[in-house]
Amino acid sequence: MKYGHEDKKTGIGLRKDVYADHFAAPSDIKTNYMVTLYGDTILEGENPKELAKQIYAIGDMD
């Protein structure tokens, strides 16, 4: 799924926000990843691997 895209059928979207303080060094640039459901953020984090684990954990619930 591409960032900024929302699936019309499920309402699930994937977004990222890149931010830094004014006059920041390259190491100060942060990226925040968000999984959305019909525009509302349901999962959020700076580590995409941890976010993926959370998504898989939701899928494993029976």
Side-chain angles (χ1 to χ4, degrees), residues 35 42-43 51-62:
V35 177
I42 57 172
L43 291 173
L51 191 60
K53 286 179 186 177
Q54 292 175 1
I55 293 168
Y56 284 118
I58 290 170
D60 286 340
M61 291 180 173
D62 291 16

Side-chain angles (χ1 to χ4, degrees), residues 16-62:
K16 70 177 178 179
D17 181 27
V18 179
Y19 60 94
D21 291 330
H22 195 58
F23 301 115
S27 61
D28 294 334
I29 297 172
K30 306 287 185 208
T31 304
N32 193 38
Y33 300 92
M34 296 157 281
V35 177
T36 61
L37 182 62
Y38 294 108
D40 293 330
T41 301
I42 57 172
L43 291 173
E44 183 174 9
E46 291 182 2
N47 185 333
K49 290 182 181 181
E50 287 299 319
L51 191 60
K53 286 179 186 177
Q54 292 175 1
I55 293 168
Y56 284 118
I58 290 170
D60 286 340
M61 291 180 173
D62 291 16

